[in-house]
């Protein structure tokens, strides 16, 4: 069974493609190991969080800087840390980049709260500043394990309690705090707790779905690999059967006396090495057969010459020597040349016969 996956390009990739090329790790192949693809996915989340951080630093802290020049060091430090996070994220140091992003947001927002609240004391209006501490929680739950958001939310709750308890207060807020301190703590701390629990449950569910999708993708790849392997095995089996039939056919031709037959296998064939060795053996057999036939003809020619010599000797005449078309022809030619140097009627007759029959094989 194959699992069909939706390969549609995410909307975030279309909108933030330009930013990913600057701040995110380089893309990997679709068949890359799951760990490599996970690094790219987290790197994209990091780059998006870093972009949000840059926008936040520019807008929120910039607005605060216009009314409070003391925020200039905070502004510079936040920009530097964000730049370091972008460099780390681009070079696949995603965990380090994630922590830099989170700490830049967390510390920057805490310093912003302290500066704004410390200007004239903490007022009822300033209590809304504590809501921005939700942003680092959302970044942390997106970049790290889902459970990390719980201790971060607990730390933020402690910070909120400490700020409300110990920071200077305006007379208006001090009077309201003395009458109903619970109301001052309840809203910002409740927002932190609710945001942490909801984001934890949502991200945990999303991670489980992602793992199921990854498993389905792995199953799909394994199914495709298995199907490809089966197809290759079937083709290899068919090729093997055809090659064996060709080898058997060559053996049949050799058995019928056709020593020029060869196995027509190329180097792409699985039995190519066997076919090549067999062809070499057949070539040698063909040469040996030709040598054996030549030797047989030579032996027959020698027997014929000896028979002619014995016949001529019995009749008392010069033997009539003719070409045999074998390797003894040079010897016979030398014999004719030798008799020519000692001319006799018989030798002249023999030499004439040799010259007359020189065209015969």
């Amino acid at each position: 069974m194959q699992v069909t996956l939706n390969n549609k390009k995410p909307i975030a990739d279309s909108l933030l493609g330009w930013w990913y090329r600057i701040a995110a790790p380089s893309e990997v192949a679709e068949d890359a190991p799951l760990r490599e693809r996970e690094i790219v996915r987290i790197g994209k989340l990091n780059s998006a969080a870093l972009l949000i951080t840059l926008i936040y630093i520019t807008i929120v802290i910039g607005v605060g800087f216009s009314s409070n020049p003391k925020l200039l060091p905070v502004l510079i430090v936040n920009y530097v840390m964000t730049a370091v996070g972008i460099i780390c994220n681009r070079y696949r140091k995603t965990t380090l980049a994630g922590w830099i992003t989170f700490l830049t947001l967390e510390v920057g927002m805490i310093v912003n709260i302290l500066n704004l609240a410390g200007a004239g004391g903490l007022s009822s209006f300033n209590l809304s500043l504590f809501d921005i501490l939700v942003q680092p929680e959302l970044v942390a739950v997106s970049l790290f394990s889902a459970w990390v958001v719980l201790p971060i939310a607990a730390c933020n709750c402690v910070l909120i309690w400490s700020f409300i308890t110990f920071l200077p207060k305006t007379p208006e807020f001090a009077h309201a705090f003395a009458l109903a301190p619970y109301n001052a703590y309840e809203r910002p701390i409740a927002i932190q707790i609710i945001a942490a629990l909801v984001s934890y449950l949502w991200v945990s569910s999303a991670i489980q779905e992602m793992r199921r999708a990854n498993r389905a993708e792995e199953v799909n790849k394994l199914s495709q690999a298995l199907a490809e392997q089966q197809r290759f095995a079937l083709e290899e089996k068919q090729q093997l059967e055809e090659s064996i039939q060709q080898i058997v056919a060559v053996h049949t031709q050799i058995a019928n006396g056709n020593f020029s037959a060869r196995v027509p296998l190329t180097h792409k064939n699985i039995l190519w090495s066997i076919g090549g060795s067999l062809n070499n053996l057949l070539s040698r057999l063909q040469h040996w057969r030709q040598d054996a036939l030549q030797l047989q003809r030579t032996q027959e020619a020698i027997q014929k010459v000896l028979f002619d010599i014995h016949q001529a000797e019995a009749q008392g005449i010069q033997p009539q020597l003719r070409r045999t078309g074998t390797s003894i022809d040079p010897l016979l030619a030398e014999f004719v040349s030798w008799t020519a140097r000692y001319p006799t009627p018989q030798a002249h007759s023999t030499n004439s016969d040799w010259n007359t029959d020189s065209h015969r094989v």
Side-chain angles (χ1 to χ4, degrees):
M1 179 185 68
Q2 284 191 337
V3 182
T4 303
L5 299 178
N6 185 9
N7 295 323
K8 186 178 179 180
K9 189 175 181 180
I11 298 178
D13 289 354
S14 301
L15 297 177
L16 300 178
W18 62 274
W19 177 248
Y20 289 159
R21 289 190 290 271
I22 298 173
S26 302
E27 291 284 354
V28 296
E30 293 183 358
D31 57 348
L34 181 60
R35 176 177 174 80
E36 294 296 321
R37 287 179 286 145
E38 189 68 11
I39 289 176
V40 174
R41 184 190 68 82
I42 295 176
K44 288 182 177 180
L45 286 175
N46 277 341
S47 63
L50 288 165
L51 180 61
I52 295 173
T53 302
L54 284 175
I55 296 173
Y56 173 79
I57 293 172
T58 303
I59 296 176
V60 178
I61 299 183
V63 172
F65 173 68
S66 62
S67 58
N68 188 0
K70 293 181 180 180
L71 288 177
L72 179 60
V74 177
L75 179 65
I76 295 174
V77 171
N78 277 272
Y79 273 123
V80 170
M81 293 300 296
T82 303
V84 172
I86 291 173
I87 295 173
C88 294
N89 192 62
R90 178 62 180 172
Y91 289 95
R92 306 176 72 86
K93 305 294 184 182
T94 53
T95 302
L96 178 60
W99 282 110
I100 290 175
T101 304
F102 165 73
L103 292 175
T104 300
L105 278 175
E106 182 79 5
V107 175
M109 291 178 179
I110 290 174
V111 173
N112 186 31
I113 292 171
L114 291 174
N115 278 279
L116 293 177
L122 190 64
S123 65
S124 300
F125 176 77
N126 296 139
L127 289 179
S128 60
L129 294 175
F130 296 121
D131 299 343
I132 63 177
L133 290 177
V134 172
Q135 297 182 27
E137 291 183 12
L138 299 178
V139 170
V141 78
S142 301
L143 301 181
F144 311 121
S145 299
W147 62 268
V148 175
V149 71
L150 300 178
I152 291 176
C155 292
N156 286 343
C157 291
V158 173
L159 288 174
I160 292 171
W161 175 84
S162 301
F163 290 159
I164 294 176
T165 303
F166 300 108
L167 282 179
K169 303 176 182 61
T170 60
E172 172 268 331
F173 180 66
H175 177 72
F177 181 76
L179 294 177
Y182 173 80
N183 293 334
Y185 293 117
E186 183 268 337
R187 180 180 176 275
I189 292 179
I191 290 177
Q192 296 294 316
I193 295 174
I194 293 173
L197 292 176
V198 172
S199 61
Y200 170 76
L201 295 175
W202 179 81
V203 171
S204 297
S205 177
I207 290 176
Q208 291 179 0
E209 292 297 327
M210 189 181 302
R211 288 174 179 173
R212 279 196 288 268
N214 289 334
R215 285 195 294 267
E217 184 178 358
E218 293 298 325
V219 169
N220 186 37
K221 289 183 177 180
L222 289 175
S223 299
Q224 293 178 352
L226 182 59
E228 182 68 19
Q229 186 177 5
Q230 290 175 347
R231 184 187 64 81
F232 178 76
L234 183 61
E235 292 179 355
E236 190 177 66
K237 179 182 177 182
Q238 183 178 359
Q239 185 185 76
L240 183 62
E241 292 176 351
E242 293 175 354
S243 301
I244 292 175
Q245 291 176 0
Q246 291 176 340
I247 293 175
V248 171
V250 170
H251 276 82
T252 303
Q253 296 181 47
I254 295 297
N256 292 331
N258 181 13
F259 285 87
S260 62
R262 297 291 184 270
V263 179
L265 299 181
T266 63
H267 67 281
K268 296 181 179 180
N269 196 286
I270 188 173
L271 296 181
W272 175 75
S273 59
I274 297 177
S277 300
L278 182 58
N279 286 339
N280 291 334
L281 178 60
L282 294 177
S283 179
R284 293 181 181 181
L285 285 176
Q286 188 177 18
H287 288 305
W288 291 340
R289 184 173 181 275
Q290 292 173 353
D291 292 342
L293 292 175
Q294 184 67 25
L295 179 60
Q296 183 180 357
R297 291 179 59 196
T298 302
Q299 290 176 346
E300 292 175 353
I302 293 173
Q303 294 297 326
K304 181 66 171 59
V305 170
L306 289 176
F307 177 77
D308 291 343
I309 292 175
H310 291 159
Q311 285 289 99
E313 183 181 3
Q315 296 176 7
I317 62 174
Q318 191 75 14
Q320 305 252 340
L321 301 180
R322 296 178 176 85
R323 291 184 181 275
T324 64
T326 64
S327 57
I328 67 172
D329 283 348
L331 177 61
L332 297 179
E334 185 66 25
F335 177 74
V336 171
S337 177
W338 178 80
T339 57
R341 290 195 295 270
Y342 303 93
T344 62
Q346 294 82 359
H348 178 74
S349 176
T350 302
N351 190 32
S352 298
D353 293 340
W354 178 267
N355 292 331
T356 302
D357 298 336
S358 61
H359 63 282
R360 301 179 184 177
V361 178

